[in-house]
Amino acid sequence: MSSTDPGVPESGAAKPGNPYSDLLLELGRLVGATTAKQVAKGLDITTVGQMLHQFPRRYIARGDLTDLDQLQVDEEATILARVVDLRTRYMQTRKGTISDVVITDNSGRPSSLVISFFNGFKAKQELKPGVLAMFSGKVGSYGGHKVLTNPGYVLLADDELAEHEVEIHASKPVPLYPATAKFPSWKTEHVIKVLLPILDFAMIPDPVPKHIAAREKLMPLAEAYDEIHIPSSMDTWPRARKRFRFQEALALQTALAQKRAEATRLDATSRAAVSGGLLDAFDAQLPYTLTGGQREIGALVATEIAAGHPMHRLLQGEVGSGKTVIALRAMLQVIDAGGQAAFLAPTEVLAAQHLHSISALLGALGAGTLIGGQHATKVTLLTGSMPAAAKKKALLAAASGEAGIVIGTHALLSDIVQFADLGLIVVDEQHRFGVEQRDALRAKALKPPHVLVMTATPIPRTVAMTVFGDLEVSELTELPAGRAPILTHVSPLSEHPGWEPRVWSRTREEIDAGHQVYVVCPKIGEAPDDDDVPPAEGDTRPMAGVLDVVQYLRRVPVLAGTRIEVLHGRLDSADKQGTMAAFARGEIDVLVATTVIEVGVDVHNATLMVILDADRFGISQLHQLRGRVGRGGLKGTCLLVTSLEKDHPSRKRLDAVAATTDGFVLAKQDLEMRREGDILGARQSGGGSGLRMLSVLRDEDLIERARQDATEIISKDPELAFHPALKLEIEMYLTEKNEAFLERG
């Protein structure tokens, strides 16, 4: 590679022969201020340890070119390829030229990629047909083809023409590092190659205890640093990656174990069960028998909120698996013990739905006052759009202790909201809230409150252990009696265009049978930026919009005389709640909606859901949506309508959802089909998943072992006083982004 590339440390940098072992050293001390500034700007890395742990994403054997078919639009890619054509033309609309370089991966398939350089005089001179080069840039799309525009590049010596010195290295793999627009892979490689000879790895203590390293058969640390960055062959880097993968898992799980241990040391108010109280009265009037899972988890929660330290538990289960009953029984136990419960919901529609369902479950038990000592309490609602008088009344009920259960949205987090004695926080759909919001509610308690987090989006066990690692996890896997199975069918209009009328005939059949129907669309309509579900990069197909679809359905002859209404996020809160209430009362036959109905909407008479442009939705979202039907003992049906061709990759998602109703199976498939960063929350944080080497799916057993090791270490050495190297590893690991990653639990 060219030695003139930026990233080669300047003369003021440290020289070999002056060994360093401090991984917390500022990078500029060893590579010079200018290079360190470039690294900080391009990679957000400032220390030697962070730079060393910028591990290659993958390796290419010299002679193996990048599979161009595997490139994804909108990804920052590093491509090893051979130039097969170069053409330069004058631009029509302004002065200058465009040089189009065509590259190939030598796969024998018709795989090629066009790289365009605007006024690329240097590229025109260097990128001749036959040249081997490495390119780095964002993959775009133009005219239905993948393209690169003005990427960075370096020329590589062609092995066949290489001199003796190059031949020595011909068998060594080429490392490809995570790249950004301003810091391609080879710049990272330059900095790493300068650092390695300077550092004395023999002086760096191993963060993995000796007995664990021996059990895992880990490569020695010093050797692993060399082999991960400059592998001697294609056979050595996998062992190095195994070492750092386990090291990362141990650091992450130890940090989480510390958080769990810290929670057990906090002083919480014990909320022990009271015989003959509200909870007993509720159980006596419950019209159905709890499932085995509800009883088991309910007993566990009851024990934990009776303890003197705060409960931190994640309760996950399918839509309709009975999580709300477990939460309500926990709230009643806290009320019996003199405390209050706050129920935090992500939307006003969902908060109102919880108020309705909890009030219905309580019956007369929800019509009394907490301070009166009766076998009853008061349930109140607090949302941002409530009239001033109603809001004032709700605030007073919470502050005085009159309301034992306060259900609300983000309005609960306001500074003006106070509680008499907040003992339990229930968070519904935790992934929709940030740590600041959760802590704002915790701060309203006299002592650290108990916390029960609920999600209806099934999370694979390893994801739960990683993302929610500071919470104990419980899973509800049974559906209560009366829940009918949901039949799901893909309606592929590309193969069967005549099926569309049948979809609406099927809708009419449900209405004529006295039932109700949801029609879900990925966007609202009219405004260009109102997509409820963003389009995929390069996908220019029009999406079904609520406002257009409702007008269309009102003109469909087979639906003549039916009552069709809309529900979407641009409606004001009163209209949304009014429409939902009318649908629940059976006054609307077809509700055309966006994903605003994804969670919490509970209408037992709804038996059919039609999801238009279903390929626009993710697996977990489709699974959540269809859980809205079949909730009243009536058989539910979901039709996934798509215009995509049969062999399109997105059709795999629809086939997966149609094949099973097991949310945990689907969650695992979702993780396999998507980039892990997405499912781990990178999209919300605007960056990577927070994991360097780990794959929560591939490394399930490894993460399990690391979690057990971490728990044992913290039980004996909570402050890591006897594990200083592991403590240092955690300090290096917990960058600002990873701190936020850990805190999402």
Side-chain angles (χ1 to χ4, degrees):
M1 297 183 188
S2 169
S3 62
T4 60
D5 261 316
V8 176
E10 58 268 28
S11 58
K15 303 288 193 302
N18 185 15
Y20 291 84
S21 60
D22 186 358
L23 298 184
L24 295 178
L25 264 179
E26 289 186 6
L27 189 59
R29 294 275 301 276
L30 301 190
V31 301
T34 302
T35 298
K37 188 175 180 181
Q38 291 178 2
V39 173
K41 188 174 182 180
L43 300 177
D44 195 25
I45 283 174
T46 58
T47 70
V48 171
Q50 289 172 350
M51 193 71 217
L52 280 177
H53 288 189
Q54 183 76 348
F55 298 127
R57 290 171 57 188
R58 57 194 177 95
Y59 302 84
I60 300 178
R62 292 180 187 267
D64 287 352
L65 305 186
T66 303
D67 186 343
L68 299 181
D69 284 348
Q70 298 302 312
L71 296 177
Q72 300 292 320
V73 173
D74 209 32
E75 76 169 324
E76 289 286 345
T78 300
I79 302 167
L80 184 62
R82 191 176 297 279
V83 177
V84 293
D85 194 16
L86 169 65
R87 297 176 185 176
T88 300
R89 53 192 165 87
Y90 288 98
M91 289 185 271
Q92 296 180 352
T93 56
R94 53 192 173 101
K95 291 183 178 180
T97 62
I98 300 176
S99 293
D100 289 328
V101 177
V102 182
I103 60 173
T104 180
D105 57 13
N106 286 350
S107 64
R109 300 188 303 269
S111 302
S112 63
L113 184 75
V114 176
I115 303 177
S116 297
F117 292 91
F118 290 85
N119 296 317
F121 179 77
K122 183 181 177 185
K124 180 181 175 182
Q125 298 301 311
E126 294 183 339
L127 297 175
K128 304 291 187 183
V131 163
L132 193 66
M134 190 179 290
F135 303 89
S136 182
K138 180 176 281 191
V139 180
S141 178
Y142 181 76
H145 300 284
K146 296 170 189 170
V147 296
L148 279 182
T149 303
N150 291 331
Y153 71 90
V154 291
L155 305 181
L156 299 177
D158 196 314
D159 291 347
E160 295 177 5
L161 304 176
E163 297 179 1
H164 177 68
E165 183 179 345
V166 176
E167 288 176 353
I168 294 174
H169 301 286
S171 63
K172 290 190 175 183
V174 177
L176 296 184
Y177 289 89
T180 65
K182 295 184 179 179
F183 216 87
S185 171
W186 54 84
K187 286 189 179 182
T188 298
E189 186 179 2
H190 279 308
V191 179
I192 293 290
K193 282 186 174 179
V194 170
L195 280 179
L196 290 178
I198 301 173
L199 293 164
D200 186 355
F201 292 110
M203 297 293 293
I204 297 175
D206 192 340
V208 181
K210 285 183 178 179
H211 71 284
I212 297 176
R215 183 197 72 205
E216 295 292 324
K217 298 182 174 60
L218 299 184
M219 178 182 279
L221 185 61
E223 183 184 353
Y225 274 118
D226 279 329
E227 292 294 342
I228 196 85
H229 289 296
I230 311 178
S232 51
S233 74
M234 288 297 285
D235 298 326
T236 54
W237 63 259
R239 287 188 59 220
R241 288 190 76 141
K242 177 189 173 185
R243 127 76 64 180
F244 289 113
R245 192 175 288 137
F246 187 88
Q247 190 166 309
E248 178 180 6
L250 185 63
L252 173 60
Q253 293 299 335
T254 303
L256 291 168
Q258 281 186 309
K259 289 170 69 68
R260 293 194 300 273
E262 287 167 9
T264 64
R265 294 195 292 271
L266 292 175
D267 182 21
T269 300
S270 169
R271 309 289 180 175
V274 174
S275 179
L278 255 177
L279 178 56
D280 284 351
F282 173 75
D283 286 344
Q285 72 170 32
L286 199 62
Y288 51 81
T289 303
L290 297 177
T291 66
Q294 286 176 314
R295 290 195 299 272
E296 181 182 341
I297 296 172
L300 181 62
V301 169
T303 299
E304 289 183 337
I305 60 180
H309 55 80
M311 172 184 73
H312 290 92
R313 183 161 292 279
L314 169 66
L315 173 58
Q316 60 170 333
E318 298 283 2
V319 171
S321 60
K323 298 183 297 297
T324 302
V325 171
I326 292 176
L328 178 54
R329 294 184 73 254
M331 290 190 280
L332 294 178
Q333 180 174 327
V334 168
I335 293 168
D336 279 339
Q340 293 167 283
F343 194 118
L344 182 61
T347 67
E348 293 196 353
V349 168
L350 186 51
Q353 185 73 41
H354 279 307
L355 175 69
H356 174 76
S357 60
I358 287 175
S359 297
L361 282 168
L362 286 173
L365 299 178
T369 60
L370 173 66
I371 56 177
Q374 306 151 332
H375 288 326
T377 188
K378 181 173 183 177
V379 184
T380 194
L381 179 70
L382 182 61
T383 66
S385 66
M386 289 172 62
K391 188 179 293 185
K392 184 176 181 181
K393 188 175 179 182
L395 289 170
L396 182 60
S400 66
E402 179 188 1
I405 299 173
V406 183
I407 301 170
T409 57
H410 295 75
L412 287 179
L413 311 177
S414 170
D415 291 340
I416 63 173
V417 178
Q418 295 181 341
F419 292 86
D421 185 7
L422 181 58
L424 173 65
I425 296 171
V426 178
V427 183
D428 196 22
E429 297 304 322
Q430 160 68 16
H431 62 280
R432 300 189 178 209
F433 295 97
V435 63
E436 298 87 359
Q437 295 162 325
R438 185 185 63 187
D439 286 348
L441 196 49
R442 275 178 171 165
K444 297 179 184 297
L446 303 174
K447 287 185 178 181
H450 303 285
V451 177
L452 180 64
V453 171
M454 302 195 301
T455 179
T457 304
I459 305 168
R461 178 172 173 75
T462 42
V463 179
M465 285 193 306
T466 305
V467 180
F468 298 103
D470 60 333
L471 300 173
E472 301 297 337
V473 181
S474 293
E475 296 175 358
L476 273 176
T477 56
E478 304 169 74
L479 288 182
R483 285 305 309 275
I486 302 170
L487 300 176
T488 304
H489 304 283
V490 178
S491 299
L493 302 186
S494 60
E495 295 118 86
H496 305 284
W499 283 15
E500 197 219 350
R502 176 62 187 137
V503 168
W504 307 125
S505 297
R506 185 74 182 80
T507 300
R508 184 63 192 239
E509 290 168 10
E510 289 298 318
I511 296 169
D512 289 345
H515 304 149
Q516 293 162 277
V517 179
Y518 293 103
V519 176
V520 181
C521 305
K523 66 182 291 183
I524 300 171
E526 292 184 357
D529 58 348
D530 69 352
D531 297 348
D532 207 53
V533 179
E537 181 72 26
D539 193 343
T540 58
R541 294 175 299 141
M543 282 195 285
V546 167
L547 301 181
D548 294 328
V549 169
V550 73
Q551 295 303 321
Y552 170 73
L553 293 183
R554 285 170 177 166
R555 296 193 300 269
V556 172
V558 74
L559 295 178
T562 60
R563 300 164 295 179
I564 306 173
E565 296 297 339
V566 301
L567 184 69
H568 57 75
R570 285 214 302 265
L571 296 172
D572 66 40
S573 180
D575 285 343
K576 280 189 285 191
Q577 293 187 34
T579 299
M580 203 61 245
F583 189 59
R585 291 194 299 267
E587 297 168 6
I588 297 170
D589 299 313
V590 180
L591 187 64
V592 184
T594 58
T595 55
V596 70
I597 57 109
E598 181 182 350
V599 290
V601 176
D602 192 2
V603 178
H604 288 188
N605 194 44
T607 54
L608 174 65
M609 175 172 288
V610 178
I611 304 179
L612 300 178
D613 289 333
D615 52 271
R616 306 282 190 167
F617 301 87
I619 285 179
S620 62
Q621 202 168 30
L622 290 170
H623 182 62
Q624 280 273 62
L625 285 166
R626 70 173 169 187
R628 298 297 111 207
V629 296
R631 298 179 64 83
L634 301 169
K635 184 177 71 174
T637 302
C638 179
L639 301 180
L640 306 176
V641 181
T642 179
S643 59
L644 283 183
E645 302 79 14
K646 188 173 184 178
D647 58 352
H648 193 285
S650 293
R651 282 282 295 271
K652 293 180 181 177
R653 296 201 304 271
L654 305 188
D655 294 337
V657 174
T660 181
T661 56
D662 189 324
F664 291 96
V665 171
L666 288 173
K668 192 169 184 179
Q669 290 179 327
D670 196 15
L671 191 56
E672 290 171 343
M673 291 183 191
R674 294 163 55 189
R675 291 181 295 185
E676 285 191 359
D678 296 343
I679 204 167
L680 294 176
R683 283 187 174 173
Q684 286 87 338
S685 66
S689 70
L691 302 180
R692 293 193 194 107
M693 303 285 285
L694 282 176
S695 161
V696 292
L697 196 62
R698 177 197 62 218
D699 300 322
E700 182 174 358
D701 292 342
L702 182 151
I703 292 171
E704 286 266 19
R705 295 196 303 275
R707 183 180 174 90
Q708 293 172 6
D709 291 334
T711 302
E712 184 177 347
I713 288 169
I714 293 302
S715 69
K716 298 176 180 177
D717 185 14
E719 303 301 325
L720 296 177
F722 299 100
H723 296 80
L726 179 55
K727 186 175 184 179
L728 173 63
E729 179 74 8
I730 293 171
E731 289 173 7
M732 287 198 305
Y733 185 79
L734 295 187
T735 61
E736 185 175 337
K737 181 168 69 177
N738 283 343
E739 283 275 21
F741 171 73
L742 289 183
E743 289 291 349
R744 279 205 313 276

